[in-house]
Amino acid sequence: MGLLVIAAGAIPIGAALFADDTKFHAPRWLVAMVGGMFVLAGLMLIRSASAVTRPPATDVVGSGLGVLLTSGFTVFAGWALFLSGGPSAWNMSGSLPLWMFPVWIRVALFYVMLGVGALLCVILT
């Protein structure tokens, strides 16, 4: 499973390196970072599978990988909150009829939900 997650992370990394500029709506470093987060998650899965055979001990490397992963989520949430262009840059759809609300409620929901997500990422990191 860990190798599949690592392979899935290689796709956005390759896209960040070799894809056409017209297909990008985010910075290349951000797309590569998301792929790197998949690679980190895959490494953590591989390490956890091998931890079954090891005796329990302090795992500094596993903790470091976890901090790097949650730091990536923090950076991504911060970019989405402050640098992405706001709610007008995002095309959202779902089961809730958000189009029924006034614009100021949709904007407030955008910033509240992303702000709470960024705060949770900071706390986890």
Side-chain angles (χ1 to χ4, degrees), residues 3-125:
L3 292 176
L4 288 174
V5 174
I6 290 173
I11 293 169
I13 292 172
L17 293 175
F18 303 114
D20 188 21
D21 286 338
T22 60
K23 299 186 187 226
F24 270 84
H25 302 289
R28 288 186 182 270
W29 65 267
L30 190 70
V31 175
M33 184 192 70
V34 169
M37 289 168 52
F38 272 90
V39 171
L40 281 173
L43 290 175
M44 290 173 73
L45 283 170
I46 291 170
R47 285 184 49 80
S48 69
S50 65
V52 174
T53 59
R54 292 185 304 205
T58 304
D59 187 15
V60 177
V61 174
S63 299
L65 290 175
V67 166
L68 285 174
L69 186 66
T70 56
S71 296
F73 281 115
T74 304
V75 168
F76 183 74
W79 177 84
L81 189 61
F82 298 115
L83 302 175
S84 70
S88 62
W90 292 75
N91 293 326
M92 296 185 296
S93 64
S95 60
L96 293 175
L98 294 177
W99 54 268
M100 293 176 59
F101 294 122
V103 174
W104 68 272
I105 291 179
R106 287 183 283 180
V107 170
L109 281 172
F110 174 84
Y111 285 113
V112 165
M113 291 190 315
L114 272 177
V116 168
L119 181 64
L120 286 174
C121 290
V122 168
I123 290 170
L124 285 173
T125 301

